[in-house]
Amino acid sequence: MECVFGMVGKGFALVVADTSAVNSILVHKSNEDKIMVLDQHKLMGASGEAGDRAQFTEYIQKNVSLYQFRNGIPLTTSAAANFMRNELATALRKNPYQVNIVLAGYEKETGPSLYFIDYIATLHKVDKAAFGYGSYFALSMMDRHYHPDMTVDEAIKLADQCIEEIRSRLVVAPQNFIIKIVDQDGAREHSWRRTTKE
């Protein structure tokens, strides 16, 4: 019962993910960080099968770093999103990754952005996005309360409302969530929302 969602506010983008590592009816971990920092100004929240998620996100992270190392400049968020989409599309005909991505980034020229990339290589630039069973509730809450000029405090409050809705509505809801933000100061962890200990 995974859940990853994100939104763009005024001068920042936010990504939230549950932290449970599950297989069938077993919870293996409750502190799995599913939001990877790609570089100083990019966050990648991923959901999907644990092996595919780990392999694909690490592959993307290393290739984004390699590009920056070879060329001396980082990929833009749009370029990183298109690279991910291309890798998923190429793998789709061979050995597909069961991975859904919410990519958030910040550029000085264009500001914050959020990209929705699913396992069949669909790519959209959006203001808000969600994957997993919790997306039904997160998207409905964001449809009702989201606006493009949200402050960080308003976005965190909305994220907390989404988390509370997911916890109260899903039969087997994830208990712990992590919130990360990217803005002009870089990508960083904001906070955890825990109900269970490691």
Side-chain angles (χ1 to χ4, degrees), residues 99-134:
V99 179
N100 300 304
I101 305 287
V102 174
L103 175 68
Y106 184 90
E107 265 87 48
K108 288 180 184 174
E109 300 79 24
T110 57
S113 56
L114 189 74
Y115 290 87
F116 167 103
I117 311 161
D118 71 8
Y119 72 102
I120 52 173
T122 303
L123 169 65
H124 290 289
K125 184 177 181 184
V126 292
D127 291 330
K128 55 191 183 299
F131 283 111
Y133 284 110

Side-chain angles (χ1 to χ4, degrees), residues 10 14 25 29 47-48 52 56 59 73-74 90 93 96 119-120 177 197:
K10 190 172 185 179
L14 172 115
I25 60 170
K29 278 176 81 172
S47 71
D52 284 355
F56 184 74
Y59 171 76
I73 57 169
T90 301
R93 304 303 190 278
Y119 72 102
I120 52 173
F177 289 82
K197 305 253 178 181

Side-chain angles (χ1 to χ4, degrees), residues 4-17:
V4 177
F5 62 93
M7 63 190 92
V8 175
K10 190 172 185 179
F12 71 94
L14 172 115
V15 180
V16 182

